[in-house]
Amino acid sequence: MRPSDYDDGTDAAGAADAGPAASVTAPRLGPVEWLRFAWRQLTSMRTALLLLLLLAIAAIPGSLVPQRSSDPNGVVQYFADNPDLAPVLDSFQMFDVYTSVWFSAIYLLLFVSLIGCIVPRTKHHFQALRARPPKTPARLERLPAHTERPLAETETPDAAIERAAADLKRAGYRVERYDARGAASVSAERGYLRETGNLVFHAALVGVLVTVGIGGGFGFSGQRVIVEGQSFVNTLAAYDSFNPGRFFDDTTLTPYRLTLDELEAVYETENRDALGQPIDFTARVTITGDGGADARQVKVNEPLYEYGTDVYLLGNGYAPTITVRDADGDVVFTDAVPFLPQDANLTSIGVVKVPDGLDEQLGMVGFFYPTQTTLPSGAFTSSYPDLVFPVLTLNVFQGDLGIDGGTPRSVYQLDTSGMEQLTGGQTGVDSIELMPGESAELPNGLGTVEFEDASPDAAGDDFSQSVPRFASFDVHHDPSQGWVLVFAVLILGGLLLSLFVPRRRMWVKAVQRADGSTVLEYAGLARGDDPGLERAVEEFADAHGGPHPRNPENPST
């Protein structure tokens, strides 16, 4: 049954011969061909989606371990808690995920892949927009959506087609008139906004990648702890920690002063099952700059935007005011020392360092309990986060603080390796316990330490204002925020267009039957899934050619 000139490379017995088919070999690919093949694979939509998935997976470690860019103290603590695992993770740049070589490689490959997808598709899309709608198929009944209507006796085929073209044009179709073999027809198509939205989506995604990169390069993020009544000036030296972008210049910092007037905390007091749970934190601040002084407020999820920076409220706690005097009664140290919360009831730990003024350097590790209570084991803890019965305990150390050698030391940690413990622990001397307004003698006649009361005129049992609070602020500057918002809106708009705008083609043709009658054929074709195509064709046919004639013997057909 094969044609006489058919040759599949076998003889009559079915064995392979040395005919032309046997000599066909694949061409050898040279360097240019391999590069072209690699480029096509990289710029395919499948590769772009795979890289986007890999980018999301690669970002996961950044949420599992602390990052040097956002939490340098957390990285130091992670090394202290995991001395064996931390160096291994650091060798894979797990503490610098978003600037690591492997994350940047995925980021750049995705960037190139998206551009390689967008450029040729954009060119093809513009060509399609300028092209004429396709010619009318010869047999419309083969299309998935098809119906017929008889031509009205009072109307000619040309007039019916012209009217159909006008109706389709009003419906948003691009139309083109075709006449072949005496059959007048009109071809129409619409839905190019679908591809336009798709291109806008991908182009805006590239825009987000570019603007995020620019914002990360020229922006910065800095952290500062401020005690009530104290101020912070937006200069590089004033930050507790500072993370600049690669291209950041500190001369671009806009000078302003931020003063923490009050930190208001609201806790649950009525529901006993949630007693002490925080309800709201409000930092009332005064910001002073070129525009004068303005009273503002910062909440946990409501940052303050001023002078090109976003100020976020990260955390808060208590900062007991501690004063140390020498044996002669002269003040050698006084400051409101931030104590870091350790639990939900704000049991807090802090460090006091007295480098000068005494015969030897002095260090104290303190625990602060806003509402002190005693556990069955005899240890102290806090049972409520607000100031009801505040108690401060101090363990005193004497010796070398380790700060004279020029090595940076955390203000929240005390290196006791070169110091002698004088109270608490195995010394046999009780830790110093103080309430607001009380003072105690330091061991060995070193002097005294006082826990100052910030509200000495309050009633004896009212400690609500006796200890100032501190707030931890994150000051963030990103010059690309506005553009990121614009591109995010474009991404959403492009996605909606690509999902909800159908791509359709519609044809109307006047056909003369063998019996001399003329009918109007209506047909439609969709690119992709379009469950509303048949209904759209029927509705247009009903509006243009009238309702479908019913079978008198069976009215339902």
Side-chain angles (χ1 to χ4, degrees):
M1 300 299 293
R2 295 174 177 173
S4 60
D5 60 348
Y6 179 81
D7 184 5
D8 63 354
T10 60
D11 56 18
D17 60 16
S23 63
V24 175
T25 56
R28 179 174 297 178
L29 299 180
V32 176
E33 288 75 17
W34 277 111
L35 288 174
R36 184 180 294 114
F37 173 77
W39 174 253
R40 288 178 178 175
Q41 294 300 313
L42 177 61
T43 56
S44 66
M45 186 57 62
R46 179 173 54 187
T47 302
L49 292 175
L50 178 61
L51 289 172
L52 191 61
L53 177 62
L54 285 177
L55 190 69
I57 295 175
I60 293 177
S63 62
L64 299 179
V65 296
Q67 299 296 296
R68 287 191 175 95
S69 60
S70 59
D71 188 11
N73 292 331
V75 175
V76 174
Q77 187 63 42
Y78 194 92
F79 269 82
D81 297 339
N82 304 274
D84 297 327
L85 178 61
V88 177
L89 295 179
D90 197 26
S91 65
F92 290 99
Q93 298 180 294
M94 289 297 179
F95 300 106
D96 303 281
V97 168
Y98 306 111
T99 57
S100 63
V101 174
W102 45 273
F103 190 86
S104 299
I106 299 174
Y107 180 95
L108 293 176
L109 284 175
L110 175 61
F111 184 75
V112 173
S113 179
L114 286 173
I115 293 178
C117 290
I118 293 170
V119 172
R121 286 182 60 179
T122 302
K123 179 182 177 181
H124 177 75
H125 183 54
F126 279 124
Q127 290 175 347
L129 288 175
R130 293 193 300 267
R132 299 170 61 190
K135 290 184 178 181
T136 305
R139 303 187 65 177
L140 293 179
E141 65 273 9
R142 292 185 175 182
L143 298 181
H146 174 265
T147 187
E148 294 181 357
R149 298 292 187 273
L151 178 66
E153 296 180 357
T154 59
E155 191 173 30
T156 64
D158 286 343
I161 295 301
E162 286 297 330
R163 186 164 56 87
D167 292 344
L168 289 169
K169 195 170 185 179
R170 281 194 297 270
Y173 287 85
R174 295 191 306 135
V175 299
E176 186 71 24
R177 175 73 182 269
Y178 292 101
D179 295 312
R181 299 180 183 178
S185 66
V186 60
S187 176
E189 62 180 353
R190 74 173 183 182
Y192 279 96
L193 276 178
R194 185 187 187 95
E195 180 64 10
T196 301
N198 205 328
L199 291 173
V200 168
F201 170 80
H202 289 90
L205 187 59
V206 173
V208 168
L209 295 177
V210 173
T211 51
V212 167
I214 293 174
F218 290 93
F220 70 86
S221 177
Q223 294 74 41
R224 176 60 191 262
V225 172
I226 308 177
V227 180
E228 286 178 329
Q230 297 183 3
S231 300
F232 153 77
V233 179
N234 187 34
T235 59
L236 187 59
Y239 285 94
D240 294 329
S241 61
F242 193 80
N243 305 290
R246 189 180 301 272
F247 312 111
F248 172 76
D249 182 3
D250 60 358
T251 60
T252 61
L253 287 174
T254 303
Y256 64 86
R257 184 173 71 244
L258 182 72
T259 303
L260 177 61
D261 300 320
E262 180 187 8
L263 180 68
E264 180 182 333
V266 180
Y267 300 102
E268 177 62 50
T269 58
E270 297 181 0
N271 184 357
R272 298 187 61 85
D273 294 332
L275 190 66
Q277 292 295 318
I279 297 177
D280 189 28
F281 294 109
T282 303
R284 305 192 186 281
V285 301
T286 299
I287 187 164
T288 307
D290 294 338
D294 294 322
R296 306 291 296 276
Q297 68 178 25
V298 188
K299 290 179 175 290
V300 175
N301 294 317
E302 298 178 13
L304 170 66
Y305 181 80
E306 288 289 346
Y307 299 100
T309 59
D310 291 296
V311 182
Y312 296 87
L313 177 62
L314 297 183
N316 66 89
Y318 291 99
T321 302
I322 300 173
T323 299
V324 178
R325 294 179 172 85
D326 61 13
D328 297 329
D330 297 329
V331 175
V332 295
F333 175 89
T334 181
D335 197 5
V337 182
F339 275 52
L340 300 181
Q342 304 297 304
D343 56 29
N345 289 321
L346 297 189
T347 299
S348 307
I349 185 172
V351 171
V352 179
K353 298 180 182 181
V354 185
D356 302 304
L358 301 175
D359 294 338
E360 289 191 66
Q361 293 179 341
L362 193 72
M364 291 182 283
V365 177
F367 285 88
F368 178 69
Y369 311 94
T371 304
Q372 183 267 333
T373 188
T374 304
L375 297 173
S377 63
F380 288 173
T381 188
S382 177
S383 59
Y384 188 71
D386 213 349
L387 295 172
V388 177
F389 190 74
V391 172
L392 173 67
T393 64
L394 297 169
N395 286 333
V396 183
F397 295 81
Q398 185 179 27
D400 183 12
L401 291 173
I403 60 178
D404 295 333
T407 303
R409 301 286 184 179
S410 172
V411 297
Y412 301 109
Q413 292 181 341
L414 180 65
D415 183 6
T416 61
S417 58
M419 307 188 76
E420 176 189 1
Q421 186 170 357
L422 303 181
T423 64
Q426 304 297 323
T427 63
V429 180
D430 292 338
S431 300
I432 297 175
E433 296 181 14
L434 300 172
M435 293 188 69
E438 296 181 349
S439 62
E441 297 287 335
L442 291 171
N444 300 338
L446 295 174
T448 61
V449 58
E450 180 182 358
F451 179 12
E452 294 191 7
D453 190 344
S455 58
D457 297 331
D461 58 349
D462 182 12
F463 297 103
S464 59
Q465 303 295 326
S466 61
V467 183
R469 301 184 73 118
F470 74 85
S472 176
F473 293 99
D474 180 82
V475 182
H476 183 76
H477 171 65
D478 185 356
S480 64
Q481 278 184 332
W483 286 106
V484 170
L485 176 61
V486 170
F487 285 122
V489 172
L490 290 176
I491 285 176
L492 181 60
L495 184 62
L496 293 175
L497 287 176
S498 63
L499 290 177
F500 297 108
V501 174
R503 178 79 178 273
R504 290 173 180 170
R505 286 175 177 171
M506 191 91 74
W507 293 275
V508 181
K509 182 166 65 172
V511 179
Q512 188 174 14
R513 301 299 190 195
D515 59 1
S517 61
T518 301
V519 296
L520 296 175
E521 288 188 312
Y522 304 86
L525 184 65
R527 184 173 182 177
D529 294 332
D530 188 358
L533 178 64
E534 293 185 7
R535 184 178 69 253
V537 172
E538 288 287 344
E539 290 177 351
F540 180 79
D542 290 342
H544 177 263
H548 197 289
R550 301 294 181 181
N551 187 343
E553 296 182 359
N554 186 4
S556 64
T557 62

